[in-house]
Amino acid sequence: MNGQRAGQAELGRVLIYGLGRSGRGVARFLATEGMQADWLDARPGPEDTALVAELGFGPGDLLRPYTTVVAAPGVPIDHPDLLALAAQGAEIIGEVALAARLRPSLPMIGITGTAGKGSTTVLVAHLLRACGLAALEGGNIDPPLLDVVDQAEVAVVELSSFQLERVPGLRLPVAVITNLGIDHLDRHRTEAAYHAAKLNITAGQSANDVLIVPAGLQVQTQAKVQAFLPDALTLADGRAVLPAADLPEGIHPANAAAALLAAEALLLHLGHAVDVDVLAAALRSAQPVSGRFETVARIGNVRFIEDSIATRTLAVEAALLRAVPPIAWLVGGRDKGAELAPLRAAAEGRVVRVIAFGEDGEQMARELGLPYEVVTGAGGDEVLLNAARAGFLALQSTGGSVLLAPIGTSFDLFKDYKARGQSFKQAAQSLNTLAAEPAEARA
């Protein structure tokens, strides 16, 4: 354990800047290490203040000298407080760099991308567990990475662009970029800065490490590059594992292709055998992540697909191309500036009706240039019930998919995308009573 905790003394005086999910994970971890830390948060929640009080961590002071500041992903890298702390000599890192520093012997697979990184993370961990490794996922996906590092034989880490802005010294034996599109320009300001943050995933890699990317993506890296094709579920040596058509519903072939290469690379890194039959069986038993293109209800030949997290152009485009047409597409929430032109192309010949809801739904529907109707309601649950009903009525004579891939963020009506997805799921399931009514009653 002493070797595992090498570098602990280097942290010096620690400030946790920003609590929330990530910051609470940092606080719990430091406490288990027997370390003290100060904390700062402009708007701490009750759960935050209760935890730091229980741990005996006191409030910080920007005038106090700190050696290490562990900043939450949601805090911009150019936040004035962080710039001031850095100017005073503090090193600014995040929870992932902290984990790598204090658990240097723990193998980690890092996974990033504009879309698909969460689903790929879960799938990689599932494949490795099937191969006999105690693999646990964490990071941008629940739980925080620091909550699992002492229970995992391998950590499979979903990495957002925010987290990748502060990972000094991180070296990953295996890294994955699922794709690169455009997102979070409100934070990164330019596409180039956003991509640069994503590409930090390979900054510390060497020629002995593996970087997995989609075919056609050119990346400057010292690592060995392995490219995947979205419809080729094969290993690096070309061995076929499973036809894409045999994947369970809700498992995207591109995510599966990337996950296979990542699992193989990590197994080889650890000196383990790669068993094609075991990997094939694991793929067949894989379950989609809740809230990622999940079929949550069926009424006759109409399926309701919940993809509330789909607010990035690449993710929405993938959902439109995967859903069985004709599609009633639920669009709404708060506009985050997603690029709409590729979505118009993906929707052509597949979407028969856009159901617009929420703060900017109608505006986005108009820009898409597709037939649409607007639904409203008293609160988020009623709005999504009305939207699900409108989608069902648009498809009741033909069948097809009522797809929640909303483009907009959830914060106009819900606390987060999970709450929005759960509301849609409940709405869809409640519509079974509507399906049982005589047609004239629904007219």
Side-chain angles (χ1 to χ4, degrees):
M1 183 61 71
N2 288 338
Q4 193 178 39
R5 293 176 177 171
Q8 180 174 329
E10 298 176 9
L11 295 178
R13 188 167 195 166
V14 178
L15 173 68
I16 304 170
Y17 193 98
L19 293 172
R21 187 179 71 88
S22 174
R24 291 193 300 270
V26 172
R28 287 189 294 265
F29 179 75
L30 292 177
T32 62
E33 296 290 288
M35 299 180 64
Q36 284 291 313
D38 295 346
W39 63 273
L40 282 174
D41 192 304
R43 292 181 297 276
E47 187 178 354
D48 301 329
T49 53
L51 177 66
V52 292
E54 178 186 344
L55 298 178
F57 291 178
D61 186 333
L62 291 176
L63 299 179
R64 204 172 287 161
Y66 293 101
T67 310
T68 306
V69 175
V70 187
V75 182
I77 195 169
D78 58 355
H79 191 285
D81 288 353
L82 296 186
L83 295 178
L85 289 161
Q88 295 168 25
E91 182 184 20
I92 314 297
I93 66 172
E95 65 160 323
V96 177
L98 181 63
R101 192 164 298 182
L102 296 192
R103 297 293 183 268
S105 63
L106 175 66
M108 290 198 292
I109 297 178
I111 300 171
T112 197
T114 303
K117 60 184 180 295
S119 296
T120 304
T121 297
V122 171
L123 190 51
V124 171
H126 171 72
L127 294 176
L128 292 176
R129 286 193 290 269
C131 293
L133 292 172
L136 294 175
E137 56 266 48
N140 191 57
I141 197 171
D142 284 333
L145 174 60
L146 291 169
D147 281 0
V148 304
V149 291
D150 287 331
Q151 291 77 47
E153 188 177 0
V154 177
V156 187
V157 191
E158 180 188 348
L159 292 167
S160 70
S161 60
F162 297 174
Q163 290 172 308
L164 285 167
E165 285 183 320
R166 43 180 75 106
V167 286
L170 177 67
R171 177 181 174 182
L172 297 166
V174 181
V176 179
I177 301 173
T178 59
N179 44 56
L180 277 182
I182 301 174
D183 197 19
H184 298 306
L185 297 189
D186 54 340
R187 164 82 169 248
H188 299 291
R189 297 188 177 88
T190 67
E191 180 181 354
Y194 168 64
H195 286 182
K198 288 289 193 184
L199 293 174
N200 276 340
I201 197 169
T202 189
Q205 290 191 296
S206 73
N208 296 321
D209 304 318
V210 174
L211 175 66
I212 295 160
V213 300
L217 180 63
Q218 301 296 316
V219 176
Q220 288 190 337
T221 179
Q222 298 297 314
K224 179 182 178 181
V225 175
Q226 295 179 357
F228 66 88
L229 293 168
D231 55 354
L233 304 183
T234 61
L235 299 178
D237 60 8
R239 283 182 291 168
V241 176
L242 194 72
D246 288 356
L247 287 171
E249 182 181 8
I251 303 297
H252 197 292
N255 296 339
L260 273 175
L261 291 179
E264 177 191 23
L266 196 282
L267 289 166
L268 294 175
H269 172 75
L270 296 179
H272 289 242
V274 179
D275 190 318
V276 171
D277 292 336
V278 170
L279 290 171
L283 282 179
R284 288 190 178 96
S285 66
Q287 298 294 316
V289 179
S290 178
R292 269 90 165 173
F293 201 83
E294 178 185 8
T295 298
V296 295
R298 294 176 187 265
I299 302 176
N301 56 357
V302 176
R303 70 177 64 189
F304 293 78
I305 300 172
E306 193 265 287
D307 205 359
S308 177
I309 198 172
T311 62
R312 302 166 178 87
T313 299
L314 282 173
V316 178
E317 183 179 25
L320 288 169
L321 294 175
R322 290 175 67 196
V324 175
I327 300 167
W329 178 18
L330 275 58
V331 170
R334 183 169 294 161
D335 186 7
K336 60 184 289 188
E339 189 179 9
L340 298 183
L343 303 182
R344 285 193 291 271
E348 186 175 357
R350 301 176 65 81
V351 172
V352 295
R353 183 76 57 83
V354 171
I355 312 299
F357 69 93
E359 185 175 306
D360 295 316
E362 184 173 8
Q363 171 194 321
M364 290 188 286
R366 284 199 304 268
E367 292 180 23
L368 286 166
L370 300 168
Y372 74 89
E373 63 181 281
V374 179
V375 298
T376 60
D381 289 342
E382 184 175 318
V383 167
L384 280 191
L385 176 60
N386 292 338
R389 179 184 289 110
F392 173 72
L393 293 175
L395 301 175
Q396 61 179 327
S397 63
T398 62
S401 303
V402 179
L403 173 66
L404 174 65
I407 308 176
T409 66
S410 59
F411 304 123
D412 59 332
L413 295 170
F414 300 93
K415 68 176 183 178
D416 55 29
Y417 78 90
K418 293 180 182 179
R420 178 170 62 185
Q422 183 62 28
S423 178
F424 175 75
K425 180 177 182 178
Q426 292 171 349
Q429 292 173 349
S430 74
L431 288 176
N432 283 293
T433 56
L434 176 65
E437 294 177 5
E440 60 271 16
R442 299 196 302 264

